[in-house]
Structures are given as structure tokens and as C-alpha cells.
Amino acid sequence: MNNPKVLIVDDEPDIRELLEITLGRMRLNTLAVDSVSSAKSALAEDTYNLCLTDMNLPDGNGIDLVKHISQHYSDMPVAMITAYGSMDTAIEALKAGAFDFVSKPIDLQRLRELINNALQLVTPIADTTINKQTQLLGQSAVMIQLGKQIIKLARSQAPVYISGESGTGKEMVARLIHEQGPRADQPFIPVNCGAIPSELMESEFFGHKKGSFTGATNDKEGLFQSADGGTLFLDEVADLPAPMQVKLLRAIQEKAIRPVGSQQELKTNTRILSATHKDLAEMVANGQFRQDLFYRINVIELNVPPLRERQEDILLLANFFLRQLAESCQTPPPHLTPEAEKALLAYNFPGNVRELENILERAFTLCEADEISASDLKLNVDSATPATSITPDSDQQSVTTESPIPLDGSQSLEDYLAELERKAIVQALEESRWNKTAAAKKLGITFRALRYRLKKLGLD
């Protein structure tokens, strides 16, 4: 197999020579030209695996060449060589379709990483009817378009801001961008920015040195280091406090971090994807989020549509979730009655795909026989539905949400209810000598529902 071939476009002889020597040592074939017109001629005459182009050329602009390549040679990645500190130019190149950028003076290690990432790119085969993740299951026009956008963005290293309502599957979109790109075999590190205490945030993101603060008994690697070579997904990025926004901005711009207590910066090779359900542009306008950080993470925006805007996907998703639930319990999947299907199609799903999954999980445990009726879905009585559906026999103590709940802050309501459910199930099993059929009857639930709950609670 022939070695990959790289087209170098730069009007400075010293830069061309440096690039040719560096790429030659990487066993890459090169052709170096000094203008946009020469580059276009070379592209028309031969096939290349990568193009490296300078920004300022004698007969044109490197951005124009990026656009030309994106339009006529879309399978070939192109990287921009920018002047030192010209982040605005780099962002403009990424928006035009550049794979990545490297700044002058050229850091050869950074250049090698860029080239290796670019040469790993292969055009993935898109399955726009059923994507890898259930949250992206769909055959609607908006989901087919989203699948195409994911494939395109996977071939870039540009920061992507994923917008959309809660429950639409923004993290799954981020995972697909990562998995279909050149960093697929490297770590994908998701972090909920709203779940980290503000006083620990810098240490969590950048790591710390032993003794840098009280409790720092060992060196700790931060999230940027954990994601090095891969992707760092900043979920709910709108929840970052102002001081952390400043530090994150520097880390993104300089591609380097400084652990707490360290005097030395560490280079990072991390792609940044971010998301939030909030209106980040409005927060910028209100002074709640830094405009310069928004500008850096929002190089490309990708919107994930709410479920109500892709109604034709609802039943496809519903049946997929039911098959998953049935497989987890090793039982045949129940089917939705026509009335249940109509109820789902008429529902607004304010919680989107996540809500649909939760509705079906509940209906799966409550339904009789092998069908789910509209009443099993309980779409209009959520606020009146008990938090636990176990109904013990009359000789057992009743478990209802009206019972006093002695919470002291050490246990969440969800954990408390799970513990009540566990105790009721174990008691029923013990009283029936672990006969599951008898235990299900004693609890007033179906055998399928009991099997599901046993698996969920780790009692199977």
C-alpha cells in the first residue's frame, strides 16, 4: 500500500522545508506549493489524504482554499496553519470546514498529533434509520439530517456546542461524534458541570499536586488529562461559575492546563464538546456567561430536536425500549394496544426521549398479560401516581407515599423508596419460600414485573 500523500500550501520556503522534512520522517509523501492556484491545480491532478495550508497566500486566502476543498474534496481533511495568537482566524477556518489548525511557530509534536488524527479518518457508513444509540433511533427527516450532521462533525476537530431540551439525547450525540471520528479509540470523558462543587472544580478539571491544599495527599490527574487524546464532554456547561469560565477559556485557547499547586503548564490534546438545555446566547446577553468562552465553545452549534417535533419516531422508539426491557428480564416483549399507541402519539413529551423511556419502564412493570394499554401508560396522572407501585397483601404492612418518611438528609427520596421496595420484595419472597410466582401474587404485581424489579434491584 502506498504511503499517504499530503499537500502542503505555504509561500514561505523555510516553512515548506520544515513541513516536508517532518512529514518525510513520518513516512508520508508530500507535495509543497506556494499559492492557491498551484494548490487547486495539484488537487485536480492527483489524490491527497490531507492538505496543510497557510492562511495568507500570494494569490488568495487560505479560508477560500478550505471552502474549495470542503466543496469539491469533502473526504479529504484540510488543516490551517495560522499566525501565533490568531485564534479568531483559527475559528473562522474551523467554521469554513477545516479539520483542525496549528499555530506558528509550529509545535512539531502538536503537528504530528494533528496529522495522525487526520489520517485516521475514514468515511463511516451512516445508518440514519437506527443509529448506534437508542436516543438517536429515528426515521424522521430531522433525525436523518441530524445523522448526516454528526458524520460531518465527526470528521472535524472543531468545538461543538450541542443545544436542545432536557432528555433529547445530547450526550448520545456527543458520544456518536466521538465514536465516528479519529479519536474513537481514545477516552470519551463526560462531566456534568453542575454536579461539581465550585471549590473543587479547578482540581477536578486540571488536577492538583500533592500538598497543594488541605486534603491533597497525592497528585491527582484532572479531567483534561484523563481525556488527553480523546474528547471531553462538558454537559450543562451553563452551570460553570464565572471564575472557572475564565480558566476554561485559557485551557481551550492555549491547549494547555496548569494543575493546582504546579508551576508548569501541561500540553493537552483534547477535543471539547459541550451542551446545555439552557439558552446560552440569552445568558451571554444577560451577562451570566462569558461571551468570549461562548465564542470558543460555540464554533459549530448542533441542535437536537425535541421528541414532539419527530412524532413519526415515537412508536419506533417505544417498541425499541420495550424490546430492551423484555431482553433484560428474558421475557417476550409486550405489545402496545391501538389505544396506547394513540395516547403516545397524542402526548407532548415535555421530558422528551428520557420521559418516553421512563413511561414505558413503568408500564412494563404494571401491565397484565402481554399488552400495554393506555391506562398502563398513566400519561395524565403522573402527579397522582405513587412513587412505588408495590401493593402488599392485607397481611403485610402497606407501603404508600402517605407513610411517614424519616429522611435525615443522608439518603435521597429515590434511594429511600428503593429500599422500601427491596424490603417488601424480600419479605414476600421469604414468606413464599422464594417461589417467585407466589411472591408476585402476594405483592399484587405480575410475574414479569417481579422479574424486572428483581433485576433492577440486584436481587436476581
Side-chain angles (χ1 to χ4, degrees), residues 280-321:
L280 210 52
E282 183 180 343
M283 292 182 66
V284 170
N286 294 336
Q288 297 173 303
F289 196 85
R290 291 185 65 95
Q291 185 176 32
D292 46 6
L293 178 57
F294 177 62
Y295 185 47
R296 295 295 183 262
I297 64 174
N298 190 29
V299 172
I300 299 172
E301 181 174 352
L302 183 63
N303 182 259
V304 185
L307 187 55
R308 61 182 173 275
E309 291 183 7
R310 51 187 187 107
Q311 192 180 48
E312 55 265 59
D313 295 334
I314 291 174
L315 296 183
L316 184 68
L317 280 163
N319 287 311
F320 187 90
F321 287 136

Side-chain angles (χ1 to χ4, degrees), residues 215-251:
T217 55
N218 294 292
D219 289 354
K220 179 186 176 182
E221 187 178 76
L223 292 166
F224 268 86
Q225 292 163 284
S226 299
D228 193 40
T231 302
L232 180 61
F233 174 55
L234 305 175
D235 197 10
E236 297 306 340
V237 69
D239 293 337
L240 285 172
M244 192 61 207
Q245 291 179 30
V246 177
K247 292 169 182 173
L248 181 62
L249 174 63
R250 175 174 172 76

Side-chain angles (χ1 to χ4, degrees), residues 12 28 43 71 79 104 124 131 154 173 175 178 242 247 278 282 316 338 392 408 414 420 427 450 455 458:
E12 296 183 48
L28 302 174
L43 289 166
Q71 181 178 355
K104 296 179 181 178
N131 287 297
V173 169
R175 285 186 182 276
H178 170 79
K247 292 169 182 173
K278 298 178 181 178
E282 183 180 343
L316 184 68
D408 58 5
E414 184 177 347
L420 288 180
Q427 181 179 340
L450 177 61
K455 187 173 184 67

